[in-house]
Amino acid sequence: MSDNARFAQLVLPHLDAGYNLARWLTRDAHDADDVVQDACVRALKYLDALRGGDGRAWFLTIVRRAFYDWIERNRPAEIVADDGSAIDAAVDTAALTPEQAAIRSAESQLLADAVAELPLPFREVLILRELEELSYKEIARIADIPIGTVMSRLARARGLLQRSPLVRAAGGRTAGEGS
Amino acid sequence: MNCAEALKWVPAYADGEIDRLRGYLVKRHLAGCADCAAEHDRILALRAQLRAEVPYYGAPPALRARVRETLGVSAGSTKPRPAGARDRWSWLAGGALAGCAATILAWTLGTAVLDWQKNEDIGNEAVALHVRATLANHPIEVASSDQHTVKPWLSARLDYSPPVPDFAKDGFTLLGARLDYLDRTAVATLVYRYRQHTIDVFVRPETKRPAPPALRNVRGFNVAHASGAGMDWLAVSDVSPDVLSEFVQRLARGGASGTDKPQ
């Protein structure tokens, strides 16, 4: 089978998954387009590296790498150094004041906005887990981090969403009443 | 298990990522501890809200078309290159390609003949059908979310009448159906949508042959099987394995409890 036919069979069915990830990481439709196209070129080039295995996880790994190369070139300021303090700082700036949240609450996509506001390391594990429904092991492989880190980032992402004024403004269904 | 320890494992428990023993201990703790149970509920509620309210962005048709186009170009057929000596040999390349194709066809047929009795082959075949339908962009021959339109269409074309259960209220929207050729017989393929995933369900009368495994993974796709209502149900999708196997079991049960018995 030619490379193109293999690509069509193994990768094309996962184009939606790749685009969804790129769209959530870049937070922009055009940029997501660029990232996915770049990822397709790479996937075709490195098709030999995929022997059997899971086409979706493999393609998502490539999309993610293409994204990080893209953001380094285009928006380097968004990359947060991956240590605790830097992430805490990012969380602080990402958090909205109740006033800002009140203004935003006039718009409808509150939870989607809150997800988009999550710092990158949390956003990517959350999207892979809750929208792509991938296992911890698959996420660890895609994001190139230990499973323990997947778990802690997922917990932080959920905690941030549950505490987010954006989600609270939506009616506090997930923010919890006390406890 | 105390609260501190339970809380550490609650997220993994909610994600179905916990071993049996620890899962049992967490479950027992949750039954007796309102605070930890509330934390567990919050994770499930957040998940439900995320899946309901946060958009899943499918690839835009223009991007899909561009990717396909790129594939066509790099196949070499339309790539611009200097005319001349090399073109004289292009017929040879064409012949070689045709030869390759013939070899692959012969190999595929040969393998199929050798392996037809192996039931796991049905899974591979079903995935191939699913992928082909997805690539060809026409996975549906009768497009209707109405089971009373889809069922007669299928009955008219098959020597059996497959049940067409409707689970729209649970998020599984019936998109329609098509006919496929699976395991040397014509079968009905019901097409459902669950969130952004397309699920193909191959339905045929129950056979005496050994059943394929209840759940397996073929090239990243999940294939789930169940029997019920006199039918074999084989579902293929990229949706998560637990969702798919639960769905296929409900299909098998749903046909039995409803009025959609095979005639």
Side-chain angles (χ1 to χ4, degrees):
Chain A
M1 204 190 299
S2 77
D3 272 2
N4 287 357
R6 274 196 80 208
F7 180 89
Q9 193 177 22
L10 296 171
V11 180
L12 270 192
H14 308 299
L15 202 61
D16 282 342
Y19 184 81
N20 184 53
L21 179 64
R23 180 70 176 70
W24 276 107
L25 293 181
T26 60
R27 299 185 286 199
D28 180 274
H30 283 286
D31 296 342
D33 244 59
D34 289 348
V35 167
V36 171
Q37 280 193 78
D38 180 22
C40 284
V41 172
R42 294 177 191 209
L44 190 57
K45 202 159 140 195
Y46 299 114
L47 206 52
D48 287 342
L50 175 65
R51 301 220 170 276
D54 182 346
R56 182 166 60 138
W58 182 77
F59 185 54
L60 288 176
T61 311
I62 295 177
V63 168
R64 182 181 170 276
R65 272 192 217 137
F67 162 75
Y68 276 97
D69 288 349
W70 174 89
I71 201 168
E72 233 167 73
R73 283 195 309 272
N74 295 283
R75 300 189 216 147
E78 269 190 41
I79 308 175
V80 183
D82 191 11
D83 61 54
S85 60
I87 284 177
D88 281 339
V91 169
D92 286 344
T93 53
L96 296 180
T97 64
E99 289 76 22
Q100 288 172 310
I103 295 165
R104 286 284 191 90
S105 73
E107 301 159 21
S108 59
Q109 297 188 329
L110 293 168
L111 184 57
D113 284 348
V115 172
E117 300 281 354
L118 287 175
L120 261 178
F122 302 133
R123 208 186 318 145
E124 65 183 3
V125 292
L126 186 87
I127 294 296
L128 292 173
R129 170 62 216 157
E130 298 293 34
L131 292 191
E132 285 306 329
E133 300 170 39
L134 293 168
S135 68
Y136 289 177
K137 206 167 131 193
E138 290 169 311
I139 297 170
R141 225 171 28 218
I142 291 171
D144 200 17
I145 48 178
I147 287 185
T149 310
V150 172
M151 292 171 75
S152 59
R153 286 188 186 172
L154 198 51
R156 285 295 294 281
R158 284 169 171 157
L160 287 169
L161 288 181
Q162 282 163 348
R163 285 198 307 276
S164 162
L166 287 173
V167 178
R168 257 190 241 255
R173 262 170 299 166
T174 60
E177 296 75 33
S179 98
Chain B
M1 187 176 269
N2 58 30
C3 285
E5 208 179 332
L7 278 179
K8 199 172 85 191
W9 290 108
V10 159
Y13 179 72
D15 286 326
E17 296 260 357
I18 199 165
D19 61 86
R20 229 166 241 251
L21 174 64
R22 214 171 262 142
Y24 169 76
L25 292 175
V26 170
K27 191 175 172 183
R28 213 176 51 177
H29 179 86
L30 292 183
C33 172
D35 282 353
C36 291
E39 175 58 26
H40 180 240
D41 289 346
R42 273 196 292 276
I43 294 177
L44 297 186
L46 178 63
R47 169 174 309 154
Q49 202 188 343
L50 280 167
R51 289 181 182 170
E53 294 177 19
V54 168
Y56 187 106
Y57 298 103
L63 173 65
R64 194 173 284 274
R66 221 171 314 132
V67 171
R68 277 171 205 273
E69 203 178 300
T70 313
L71 286 178
V73 167
S74 53
S77 50
T78 54
K79 204 190 284 179
R81 54 177 175 177
R86 266 198 278 167
D87 276 306
R88 268 185 276 145
W89 299 102
S90 58
W91 63 271
L92 185 61
L97 277 179
C100 282
T103 313
I104 289 166
L105 182 67
W107 179 79
T108 314
L109 282 177
T111 324
V113 168
L114 284 174
D115 284 349
W116 67 268
Q117 66 273 58
K118 284 196 198 154
N119 55 44
E120 57 255 47
D121 241 39
I122 296 176
N124 288 326
E125 216 184 315
V127 167
L129 289 171
H130 175 75
V131 171
R132 205 172 303 146
T134 315
L135 287 180
N137 248 343
H138 61 88
I140 294 163
E141 286 168 316
V142 51
S144 171
S145 59
D146 179 8
Q147 60 198 107
H148 303 295
T149 306
V150 173
K151 191 175 159 66
W153 187 90
L154 289 169
S155 312
R157 286 161 180 82
L158 293 165
D159 57 356
Y160 61 97
S161 176
V164 183
D166 181 17
F167 293 126
K169 58 183 185 302
D170 303 305
F172 296 93
T173 315
L174 178 66
L175 296 182
R178 65 170 187 271
L179 294 179
D180 269 316
Y181 193 71
L182 176 69
D183 196 27
R184 298 178 304 147
T185 41
V187 297
T189 308
L190 309 179
V191 186
Y192 290 86
R193 174 175 293 275
Y194 177 69
R195 296 180 48 226
Q196 290 299 314
H197 307 279
T198 306
I199 304 179
D200 277 348
V201 182
F202 303 93
V203 196
R204 64 170 184 187
E206 244 172 319
T207 59
K208 293 220 168 56
R209 271 183 255 164
L215 184 69
R216 60 188 290 241
N217 186 291
V218 180
R219 295 201 307 263
F221 292 96
N222 293 305
V223 183
H225 173 265
S227 297
M231 296 283 156
D232 263 339
W233 306 79
L234 191 68
V236 180
S237 178
D238 56 356
V239 77
S240 75
D242 36 333
V243 170
L244 194 67
S245 52
E246 200 189 313
F247 178 55
V248 80
Q249 278 158 28
R250 286 193 56 188
L251 283 170
R253 281 200 307 272
S257 62
T259 50
D260 275 325
K261 286 245 161 71
Q263 290 143 13

